[in-house]
Amino acid sequence: MKKLPYKEGDVFAVPLRNHKYSVGLIARMAPMGKILLGYFFGSIYEEIPKFDDLPKLHPSNAIKVLRFGDLSLLNGDWLILGKIPDWNKKAWPMPKFQRVDLLTGKVREIKYKDDDPSVVLEEVVSQNSNYCLERDALLGSGAVEITLTKETAISI
């Protein structure tokens, strides 16, 4: 098996659709890679930032927590900047997500296995939409770039 070019605790640059950059952090990965959970931040950079120039990253500063595929990390489109010193994944929790069935209106809270963002542990039907939960989805790298471009434009 080929060694993956990333690991939990790695910080990486995400090119945005406006020719700027944002950063993300790999908080979880499936055992064989492919599906990751990342925290993404709202700071915008004109060029790929240097790891030492980044502010201290903290989960509470993330603008998005998303499940995503690893293709852009594998092919080098998203550059690994460095690793969080003394990485502790317990400080970066696996959140719950939400699915809403548009036909029935049923809302499901989705919980993934803490050490594998590809495995659903639990689906709980809820009466109300919990708007503070992120929508349950698995995004490709292009969708992550578009989402962050929109989110960072809003947060400016």
PDB file of all heavy atoms in Angstrom, residues 17-51:
ATOM      1  N   ARG A  17     -11.743  29.967  -5.270  1.00  0.00           N
ATOM      2  CA  ARG A  17     -12.120  30.271  -6.643  1.00  0.00           C
ATOM      3  C   ARG A  17     -11.876  31.733  -7.008  1.00  0.00           C
ATOM      4  O   ARG A  17     -12.030  32.118  -8.145  1.00  0.00           O
ATOM      5  CB  ARG A  17     -13.576  29.879  -6.878  1.00  0.00           C
ATOM      6  CG  ARG A  17     -13.819  28.379  -6.732  1.00  0.00           C
ATOM      7  CD  ARG A  17     -12.977  27.591  -7.728  1.00  0.00           C
ATOM      8  NE  ARG A  17     -12.925  26.177  -7.492  1.00  0.00           N
ATOM      9  CZ  ARG A  17     -13.615  25.273  -8.168  1.00  0.00           C
ATOM     10  NH1 ARG A  17     -14.438  25.650  -9.118  1.00  0.00           N
ATOM     11  NH2 ARG A  17     -13.467  24.001  -7.883  1.00  0.00           N
ATOM     12  N   ASN A  18     -11.481  32.549  -6.024  1.00  0.00           N
ATOM     13  CA  ASN A  18     -11.160  33.960  -6.285  1.00  0.00           C
ATOM     14  C   ASN A  18      -9.644  34.188  -6.330  1.00  0.00           C
ATOM     15  O   ASN A  18      -9.178  35.303  -6.150  1.00  0.00           O
ATOM     16  CB  ASN A  18     -11.822  34.857  -5.234  1.00  0.00           C
ATOM     17  CG  ASN A  18     -11.393  34.511  -3.823  1.00  0.00           C
ATOM     18  OD1 ASN A  18     -10.479  33.708  -3.613  1.00  0.00           O
ATOM     19  ND2 ASN A  18     -12.041  35.107  -2.848  1.00  0.00           N
ATOM     20  N   HIS A  19      -8.888  33.115  -6.532  1.00  0.00           N
ATOM     21  CA  HIS A  19      -7.424  33.150  -6.657  1.00  0.00           C
ATOM     22  C   HIS A  19      -6.722  33.517  -5.350  1.00  0.00           C
ATOM     23  O   HIS A  19      -5.605  34.021  -5.370  1.00  0.00           O
ATOM     24  CB  HIS A  19      -6.978  34.069  -7.796  1.00  0.00           C
ATOM     25  CG  HIS A  19      -7.652  33.739  -9.089  1.00  0.00           C
ATOM     26  ND1 HIS A  19      -7.345  32.607  -9.798  1.00  0.00           N
ATOM     27  CD2 HIS A  19      -8.638  34.362  -9.767  1.00  0.00           C
ATOM     28  CE1 HIS A  19      -8.113  32.550 -10.875  1.00  0.00           C
ATOM     29  NE2 HIS A  19      -8.909  33.600 -10.881  1.00  0.00           N
ATOM     30  N   LYS A  20      -7.382  33.272  -4.243  1.00  0.00           N
ATOM     31  CA  LYS A  20      -6.776  33.454  -2.920  1.00  0.00           C
ATOM     32  C   LYS A  20      -6.736  32.090  -2.247  1.00  0.00           C
ATOM     33  O   LYS A  20      -7.062  31.080  -2.865  1.00  0.00           O
ATOM     34  CB  LYS A  20      -7.583  34.473  -2.122  1.00  0.00           C
ATOM     35  CG  LYS A  20      -7.537  35.835  -2.799  1.00  0.00           C
ATOM     36  CD  LYS A  20      -8.267  36.882  -2.045  1.00  0.00           C
ATOM     37  CE  LYS A  20      -8.181  38.135  -2.913  1.00  0.00           C
ATOM     38  NZ  LYS A  20      -8.646  39.296  -2.354  1.00  0.00           N
ATOM     39  N   TYR A  21      -6.327  32.070  -0.978  1.00  0.00           N
ATOM     40  CA  TYR A  21      -6.181  30.796  -0.266  1.00  0.00           C
ATOM     41  C   TYR A  21      -6.806  30.876   1.119  1.00  0.00           C
ATOM     42  O   TYR A  21      -6.865  31.942   1.728  1.00  0.00           O
ATOM     43  CB  TYR A  21      -4.693  30.433  -0.113  1.00  0.00           C
ATOM     44  CG  TYR A  21      -4.023  30.182  -1.428  1.00  0.00           C
ATOM     45  CD1 TYR A  21      -3.463  31.234  -2.148  1.00  0.00           C
ATOM     46  CD2 TYR A  21      -3.987  28.910  -1.972  1.00  0.00           C
ATOM     47  CE1 TYR A  21      -2.863  31.016  -3.377  1.00  0.00           C
ATOM     48  CE2 TYR A  21      -3.386  28.684  -3.205  1.00  0.00           C
ATOM     49  CZ  TYR A  21      -2.837  29.737  -3.901  1.00  0.00           C
ATOM     50  OH  TYR A  21      -2.262  29.522  -5.129  1.00  0.00           O
ATOM     51  N   SER A  22      -7.235  29.725   1.585  1.00  0.00           N
ATOM     52  CA  SER A  22      -7.672  29.552   2.957  1.00  0.00           C
ATOM     53  C   SER A  22      -6.924  28.326   3.484  1.00  0.00           C
ATOM     54  O   SER A  22      -6.121  27.731   2.762  1.00  0.00           O
ATOM     55  CB  SER A  22      -9.193  29.351   3.004  1.00  0.00           C
ATOM     56  OG  SER A  22      -9.644  29.368   4.334  1.00  0.00           O
ATOM     57  N   VAL A  23      -7.177  27.953   4.725  1.00  0.00           N
ATOM     58  CA  VAL A  23      -6.504  26.776   5.277  1.00  0.00           C
ATOM     59  C   VAL A  23      -7.499  25.834   5.932  1.00  0.00           C
ATOM     60  O   VAL A  23      -8.559  26.236   6.404  1.00  0.00           O
ATOM     61  CB  VAL A  23      -5.384  27.140   6.286  1.00  0.00           C
ATOM     62  CG1 VAL A  23      -4.256  27.882   5.616  1.00  0.00           C
ATOM     63  CG2 VAL A  23      -5.914  27.901   7.456  1.00  0.00           C
ATOM     64  N   GLY A  24      -7.117  24.565   5.943  1.00  0.00           N
ATOM     65  CA  GLY A  24      -7.890  23.532   6.603  1.00  0.00           C
ATOM     66  C   GLY A  24      -6.973  22.668   7.446  1.00  0.00           C
ATOM     67  O   GLY A  24      -5.741  22.729   7.311  1.00  0.00           O
ATOM     68  N   LEU A  25      -7.581  21.875   8.303  1.00  0.00           N
ATOM     69  CA  LEU A  25      -6.844  20.971   9.184  1.00  0.00           C
ATOM     70  C   LEU A  25      -7.503  19.603   9.123  1.00  0.00           C
ATOM     71  O   LEU A  25      -8.732  19.503   9.215  1.00  0.00           O
ATOM     72  CB  LEU A  25      -6.875  21.502  10.614  1.00  0.00           C
ATOM     73  CG  LEU A  25      -6.219  20.598  11.644  1.00  0.00           C
ATOM     74  CD1 LEU A  25      -5.353  21.408  12.581  1.00  0.00           C
ATOM     75  CD2 LEU A  25      -7.251  19.814  12.420  1.00  0.00           C
ATOM     76  N   ILE A  26      -6.710  18.573   8.954  1.00  0.00           N
ATOM     77  CA  ILE A  26      -7.240  17.205   8.939  1.00  0.00           C
ATOM     78  C   ILE A  26      -7.410  16.747  10.381  1.00  0.00           C
ATOM     79  O   ILE A  26      -6.431  16.575  11.106  1.00  0.00           O
ATOM     80  CB  ILE A  26      -6.295  16.247   8.187  1.00  0.00           C
ATOM     81  CG1 ILE A  26      -6.125  16.704   6.745  1.00  0.00           C
ATOM     82  CG2 ILE A  26      -6.831  14.811   8.259  1.00  0.00           C
ATOM     83  CD1 ILE A  26      -5.014  16.003   6.001  1.00  0.00           C
ATOM     84  N   ALA A  27      -8.675  16.568  10.790  1.00  0.00           N
ATOM     85  CA  ALA A  27      -8.957  16.160  12.159  1.00  0.00           C
ATOM     86  C   ALA A  27      -9.190  14.652  12.269  1.00  0.00           C
ATOM     87  O   ALA A  27      -8.938  14.060  13.313  1.00  0.00           O
ATOM     88  CB  ALA A  27     -10.173  16.909  12.703  1.00  0.00           C
ATOM     89  N   ARG A  28      -9.694  14.047  11.201  1.00  0.00           N
ATOM     90  CA  ARG A  28      -9.923  12.599  11.179  1.00  0.00           C
ATOM     91  C   ARG A  28      -9.704  12.097   9.766  1.00  0.00           C
ATOM     92  O   ARG A  28      -9.917  12.815   8.789  1.00  0.00           O
ATOM     93  CB  ARG A  28     -11.362  12.236  11.580  1.00  0.00           C
ATOM     94  CG  ARG A  28     -11.796  12.665  12.963  1.00  0.00           C
ATOM     95  CD  ARG A  28     -11.105  11.869  14.052  1.00  0.00           C
ATOM     96  NE  ARG A  28     -11.650  12.179  15.352  1.00  0.00           N
ATOM     97  CZ  ARG A  28     -11.406  13.281  16.041  1.00  0.00           C
ATOM     98  NH1 ARG A  28     -10.641  14.228  15.536  1.00  0.00           N
ATOM     99  NH2 ARG A  28     -11.930  13.472  17.231  1.00  0.00           N
ATOM    100  N   MET A  29      -9.353  10.823   9.681  1.00  0.00           N
ATOM    101  CA  MET A  29      -9.237  10.185   8.375  1.00  0.00           C
ATOM    102  C   MET A  29      -9.649   8.728   8.492  1.00  0.00           C
ATOM    103  O   MET A  29      -9.440   8.096   9.529  1.00  0.00           O
ATOM    104  CB  MET A  29      -7.821  10.311   7.818  1.00  0.00           C
ATOM    105  CG  MET A  29      -6.731   9.785   8.708  1.00  0.00           C
ATOM    106  SD  MET A  29      -5.067  10.134   8.091  1.00  0.00           S
ATOM    107  CE  MET A  29      -4.832   8.792   6.958  1.00  0.00           C
ATOM    108  N   ALA A  30     -10.275   8.223   7.437  1.00  0.00           N
ATOM    109  CA  ALA A  30     -10.596   6.804   7.386  1.00  0.00           C
ATOM    110  C   ALA A  30      -9.273   6.029   7.392  1.00  0.00           C
ATOM    111  O   ALA A  30      -8.245   6.553   6.941  1.00  0.00           O
ATOM    112  CB  ALA A  30     -11.407   6.500   6.127  1.00  0.00           C
ATOM    113  N   PRO A  31      -9.261   4.806   7.899  1.00  0.00           N
ATOM    114  CA  PRO A  31      -8.007   4.057   8.018  1.00  0.00           C
ATOM    115  C   PRO A  31      -7.197   3.957   6.728  1.00  0.00           C
ATOM    116  O   PRO A  31      -5.974   3.992   6.762  1.00  0.00           O
ATOM    117  CB  PRO A  31      -8.462   2.667   8.488  1.00  0.00           C
ATOM    118  CG  PRO A  31      -9.737   2.936   9.221  1.00  0.00           C
ATOM    119  CD  PRO A  31     -10.389   4.082   8.487  1.00  0.00           C
ATOM    120  N   MET A  32      -7.845   3.880   5.592  1.00  0.00           N
ATOM    121  CA  MET A  32      -7.137   3.782   4.317  1.00  0.00           C
ATOM    122  C   MET A  32      -7.127   5.118   3.574  1.00  0.00           C
ATOM    123  O   MET A  32      -6.811   5.177   2.399  1.00  0.00           O
ATOM    124  CB  MET A  32      -7.790   2.716   3.430  1.00  0.00           C
ATOM    125  CG  MET A  32      -7.850   1.345   4.071  1.00  0.00           C
ATOM    126  SD  MET A  32      -6.240   0.616   4.356  1.00  0.00           S
ATOM    127  CE  MET A  32      -5.851   0.083   2.725  1.00  0.00           C
ATOM    128  N   GLY A  33      -7.481   6.192   4.267  1.00  0.00           N
ATOM    129  CA  GLY A  33      -7.558   7.489   3.613  1.00  0.00           C
ATOM    130  C   GLY A  33      -8.870   7.636   2.868  1.00  0.00           C
ATOM    131  O   GLY A  33      -9.874   7.046   3.235  1.00  0.00           O
ATOM    132  N   LYS A  34      -8.885   8.416   1.848  1.00  0.00           N
ATOM    133  CA  LYS A  34     -10.006   8.691   0.949  1.00  0.00           C
ATOM    134  C   LYS A  34     -11.055   9.624   1.557  1.00  0.00           C
ATOM    135  O   LYS A  34     -11.425  10.594   0.939  1.00  0.00           O
ATOM    136  CB  LYS A  34     -10.669   7.424   0.424  1.00  0.00           C
ATOM    137  CG  LYS A  34      -9.745   6.585  -0.402  1.00  0.00           C
ATOM    138  CD  LYS A  34     -10.467   5.441  -1.032  1.00  0.00           C
ATOM    139  CE  LYS A  34      -9.425   4.626  -1.714  1.00  0.00           C
ATOM    140  NZ  LYS A  34      -9.582   3.621  -2.486  1.00  0.00           N
ATOM    141  N   ILE A  35     -11.554   9.325   2.748  1.00  0.00           N
ATOM    142  CA  ILE A  35     -12.566  10.170   3.382  1.00  0.00           C
ATOM    143  C   ILE A  35     -11.967  10.792   4.635  1.00  0.00           C
ATOM    144  O   ILE A  35     -11.465  10.096   5.514  1.00  0.00           O
ATOM    145  CB  ILE A  35     -13.836   9.377   3.724  1.00  0.00           C
ATOM    146  CG1 ILE A  35     -14.473   8.854   2.432  1.00  0.00           C
ATOM    147  CG2 ILE A  35     -14.827  10.242   4.500  1.00  0.00           C
ATOM    148  CD1 ILE A  35     -15.687   7.990   2.628  1.00  0.00           C
ATOM    149  N   LEU A  36     -12.030  12.133   4.692  1.00  0.00           N
ATOM    150  CA  LEU A  36     -11.439  12.893   5.794  1.00  0.00           C
ATOM    151  C   LEU A  36     -12.486  13.786   6.433  1.00  0.00           C
ATOM    152  O   LEU A  36     -13.501  14.120   5.821  1.00  0.00           O
ATOM    153  CB  LEU A  36     -10.299  13.770   5.261  1.00  0.00           C
ATOM    154  CG  LEU A  36      -9.239  13.086   4.402  1.00  0.00           C
ATOM    155  CD1 LEU A  36      -8.281  14.105   3.838  1.00  0.00           C
ATOM    156  CD2 LEU A  36      -8.497  12.040   5.202  1.00  0.00           C
ATOM    157  N   LEU A  37     -12.199  14.194   7.659  1.00  0.00           N
ATOM    158  CA  LEU A  37     -12.975  15.243   8.327  1.00  0.00           C
ATOM    159  C   LEU A  37     -12.013  16.395   8.542  1.00  0.00           C
ATOM    160  O   LEU A  37     -10.917  16.197   9.078  1.00  0.00           O
ATOM    161  CB  LEU A  37     -13.513  14.772   9.675  1.00  0.00           C
ATOM    162  CG  LEU A  37     -14.231  15.893  10.430  1.00  0.00           C
ATOM    163  CD1 LEU A  37     -15.698  15.955  10.028  1.00  0.00           C
ATOM    164  CD2 LEU A  37     -14.080  15.747  11.917  1.00  0.00           C
ATOM    165  N   GLY A  38     -12.424  17.571   8.102  1.00  0.00           N
ATOM    166  CA  GLY A  38     -11.552  18.725   8.235  1.00  0.00           C
ATOM    167  C   GLY A  38     -12.232  19.919   8.856  1.00  0.00           C
ATOM    168  O   GLY A  38     -13.443  20.111   8.705  1.00  0.00           O
ATOM    169  N   TYR A  39     -11.443  20.681   9.579  1.00  0.00           N
ATOM    170  CA  TYR A  39     -11.853  21.990  10.093  1.00  0.00           C
ATOM    171  C   TYR A  39     -11.276  23.020   9.125  1.00  0.00           C
ATOM    172  O   TYR A  39     -10.097  22.951   8.779  1.00  0.00           O
ATOM    173  CB  TYR A  39     -11.289  22.211  11.490  1.00  0.00           C
ATOM    174  CG  TYR A  39     -12.039  21.497  12.591  1.00  0.00           C
ATOM    175  CD1 TYR A  39     -11.938  20.131  12.765  1.00  0.00           C
ATOM    176  CD2 TYR A  39     -12.851  22.219  13.461  1.00  0.00           C
ATOM    177  CE1 TYR A  39     -12.624  19.483  13.781  1.00  0.00           C
ATOM    178  CE2 TYR A  39     -13.542  21.575  14.481  1.00  0.00           C
ATOM    179  CZ  TYR A  39     -13.422  20.209  14.639  1.00  0.00           C
ATOM    180  OH  TYR A  39     -14.107  19.586  15.646  1.00  0.00           O
ATOM    181  N   PHE A  40     -12.112  23.974   8.705  1.00  0.00           N
ATOM    182  CA  PHE A  40     -11.698  24.983   7.743  1.00  0.00           C
ATOM    183  C   PHE A  40     -11.869  26.370   8.353  1.00  0.00           C
ATOM    184  O   PHE A  40     -12.837  26.612   9.075  1.00  0.00           O
ATOM    185  CB  PHE A  40     -12.507  24.843   6.447  1.00  0.00           C
ATOM    186  CG  PHE A  40     -12.229  23.548   5.750  1.00  0.00           C
ATOM    187  CD1 PHE A  40     -12.973  22.409   6.031  1.00  0.00           C
ATOM    188  CD2 PHE A  40     -11.199  23.456   4.828  1.00  0.00           C
ATOM    189  CE1 PHE A  40     -12.705  21.205   5.406  1.00  0.00           C
ATOM    190  CE2 PHE A  40     -10.923  22.253   4.189  1.00  0.00           C
ATOM    191  CZ  PHE A  40     -11.677  21.124   4.477  1.00  0.00           C
ATOM    192  N   PHE A  41     -10.951  27.255   8.032  1.00  0.00           N
ATOM    193  CA  PHE A  41     -10.866  28.556   8.692  1.00  0.00           C
ATOM    194  C   PHE A  41     -11.103  29.690   7.708  1.00  0.00           C
ATOM    195  O   PHE A  41     -10.886  29.544   6.506  1.00  0.00           O
ATOM    196  CB  PHE A  41      -9.511  28.679   9.390  1.00  0.00           C
ATOM    197  CG  PHE A  41      -9.317  27.580  10.391  1.00  0.00           C
ATOM    198  CD1 PHE A  41      -8.728  26.378  10.014  1.00  0.00           C
ATOM    199  CD2 PHE A  41      -9.788  27.706  11.679  1.00  0.00           C
ATOM    200  CE1 PHE A  41      -8.602  25.330  10.917  1.00  0.00           C
ATOM    201  CE2 PHE A  41      -9.667  26.670  12.593  1.00  0.00           C
ATOM    202  CZ  PHE A  41      -9.069  25.478  12.205  1.00  0.00           C
ATOM    203  N   GLY A  42     -11.531  30.844   8.231  1.00  0.00           N
ATOM    204  CA  GLY A  42     -11.972  31.956   7.403  1.00  0.00           C
ATOM    205  C   GLY A  42     -10.911  32.951   7.002  1.00  0.00           C
ATOM    206  O   GLY A  42     -11.188  33.848   6.216  1.00  0.00           O
ATOM    207  N   SER A  43      -9.702  32.823   7.502  1.00  0.00           N
ATOM    208  CA  SER A  43      -8.646  33.757   7.104  1.00  0.00           C
ATOM    209  C   SER A  43      -8.350  33.583   5.621  1.00  0.00           C
ATOM    210  O   SER A  43      -8.302  32.464   5.112  1.00  0.00           O
ATOM    211  CB  SER A  43      -7.369  33.515   7.904  1.00  0.00           C
ATOM    212  OG  SER A  43      -7.598  33.785   9.265  1.00  0.00           O
ATOM    213  N   ILE A  44      -8.145  34.715   4.944  1.00  0.00           N
ATOM    214  CA  ILE A  44      -7.862  34.713   3.510  1.00  0.00           C
ATOM    215  C   ILE A  44      -6.416  35.152   3.294  1.00  0.00           C
ATOM    216  O   ILE A  44      -5.945  36.092   3.925  1.00  0.00           O
ATOM    217  CB  ILE A  44      -8.790  35.714   2.779  1.00  0.00           C
ATOM    218  CG1 ILE A  44     -10.244  35.370   3.046  1.00  0.00           C
ATOM    219  CG2 ILE A  44      -8.495  35.742   1.291  1.00  0.00           C
ATOM    220  CD1 ILE A  44     -10.656  34.037   2.523  1.00  0.00           C
ATOM    221  N   TYR A  45      -5.750  34.475   2.374  1.00  0.00           N
ATOM    222  CA  TYR A  45      -4.358  34.779   2.064  1.00  0.00           C
ATOM    223  C   TYR A  45      -4.225  35.031   0.572  1.00  0.00           C
ATOM    224  O   TYR A  45      -4.822  34.321  -0.240  1.00  0.00           O
ATOM    225  CB  TYR A  45      -3.456  33.613   2.488  1.00  0.00           C
ATOM    226  CG  TYR A  45      -3.594  33.303   3.965  1.00  0.00           C
ATOM    227  CD1 TYR A  45      -4.519  32.357   4.398  1.00  0.00           C
ATOM    228  CD2 TYR A  45      -2.841  33.974   4.908  1.00  0.00           C
ATOM    229  CE1 TYR A  45      -4.670  32.084   5.749  1.00  0.00           C
ATOM    230  CE2 TYR A  45      -2.988  33.706   6.260  1.00  0.00           C
ATOM    231  CZ  TYR A  45      -3.911  32.761   6.673  1.00  0.00           C
ATOM    232  OH  TYR A  45      -4.061  32.509   8.011  1.00  0.00           O
ATOM    233  N   GLU A  46      -3.413  36.011   0.226  1.00  0.00           N
ATOM    234  CA  GLU A  46      -3.183  36.343  -1.188  1.00  0.00           C
ATOM    235  C   GLU A  46      -2.334  35.292  -1.888  1.00  0.00           C
ATOM    236  O   GLU A  46      -2.431  35.100  -3.090  1.00  0.00           O
ATOM    237  CB  GLU A  46      -2.495  37.719  -1.308  1.00  0.00           C
ATOM    238  CG  GLU A  46      -3.348  38.876  -0.816  1.00  0.00           C
ATOM    239  CD  GLU A  46      -4.587  39.114  -1.676  1.00  0.00           C
ATOM    240  OE1 GLU A  46      -4.510  38.919  -2.907  1.00  0.00           O
ATOM    241  OE2 GLU A  46      -5.625  39.488  -1.102  1.00  0.00           O
ATOM    242  N   GLU A  47      -1.484  34.609  -1.121  1.00  0.00           N
ATOM    243  CA  GLU A  47      -0.657  33.529  -1.653  1.00  0.00           C
ATOM    244  C   GLU A  47      -0.634  32.412  -0.616  1.00  0.00           C
ATOM    245  O   GLU A  47      -1.102  32.586   0.507  1.00  0.00           O
ATOM    246  CB  GLU A  47       0.751  34.020  -1.973  1.00  0.00           C
ATOM    247  CG  GLU A  47       1.440  34.694  -0.814  1.00  0.00           C
ATOM    248  CD  GLU A  47       2.730  35.383  -1.233  1.00  0.00           C
ATOM    249  OE1 GLU A  47       2.777  35.968  -2.320  1.00  0.00           O
ATOM    250  OE2 GLU A  47       3.683  35.320  -0.439  1.00  0.00           O
ATOM    251  N   ILE A  48      -0.077  31.283  -0.998  1.00  0.00           N
ATOM    252  CA  ILE A  48      -0.031  30.146  -0.070  1.00  0.00           C
ATOM    253  C   ILE A  48       0.717  30.581   1.179  1.00  0.00           C
ATOM    254  O   ILE A  48       1.868  31.009   1.103  1.00  0.00           O
ATOM    255  CB  ILE A  48       0.645  28.928  -0.728  1.00  0.00           C
ATOM    256  CG1 ILE A  48      -0.191  28.448  -1.911  1.00  0.00           C
ATOM    257  CG2 ILE A  48       0.842  27.819   0.289  1.00  0.00           C
ATOM    258  CD1 ILE A  48       0.446  27.338  -2.720  1.00  0.00           C
ATOM    259  N   PRO A  49       0.056  30.486   2.346  1.00  0.00           N
ATOM    260  CA  PRO A  49       0.717  30.950   3.572  1.00  0.00           C
ATOM    261  C   PRO A  49       1.786  29.977   4.047  1.00  0.00           C
ATOM    262  O   PRO A  49       1.754  28.789   3.729  1.00  0.00           O
ATOM    263  CB  PRO A  49      -0.431  31.026   4.581  1.00  0.00           C
ATOM    264  CG  PRO A  49      -1.411  30.014   4.099  1.00  0.00           C
ATOM    265  CD  PRO A  49      -1.300  30.002   2.594  1.00  0.00           C
ATOM    266  N   LYS A  50       2.714  30.493   4.801  1.00  0.00           N
ATOM    267  CA  LYS A  50       3.709  29.651   5.454  1.00  0.00           C
ATOM    268  C   LYS A  50       3.127  29.214   6.798  1.00  0.00           C
ATOM    269  O   LYS A  50       2.431  29.974   7.464  1.00  0.00           O
ATOM    270  CB  LYS A  50       5.010  30.429   5.663  1.00  0.00           C
ATOM    271  CG  LYS A  50       5.683  30.814   4.348  1.00  0.00           C
ATOM    272  CD  LYS A  50       7.073  31.345   4.593  1.00  0.00           C
ATOM    273  CE  LYS A  50       7.798  31.764   3.356  1.00  0.00           C
ATOM    274  NZ  LYS A  50       7.324  31.406   2.086  1.00  0.00           N
ATOM    275  N   PHE A  51       3.410  27.992   7.182  1.00  0.00           N
ATOM    276  CA  PHE A  51       2.847  27.435   8.416  1.00  0.00           C
ATOM    277  C   PHE A  51       3.142  28.334   9.611  1.00  0.00           C
ATOM    278  O   PHE A  51       2.266  28.601  10.431  1.00  0.00           O
ATOM    279  CB  PHE A  51       3.390  26.022   8.650  1.00  0.00           C
ATOM    280  CG  PHE A  51       2.783  25.348   9.841  1.00  0.00           C
ATOM    281  CD1 PHE A  51       1.498  24.859   9.793  1.00  0.00           C
ATOM    282  CD2 PHE A  51       3.503  25.215  11.016  1.00  0.00           C
ATOM    283  CE1 PHE A  51       0.916  24.241  10.896  1.00  0.00           C
ATOM    284  CE2 PHE A  51       2.943  24.601  12.132  1.00  0.00           C
ATOM    285  CZ  PHE A  51       1.643  24.113  12.063  1.00  0.00           C
TER     286      PHE A  51
END
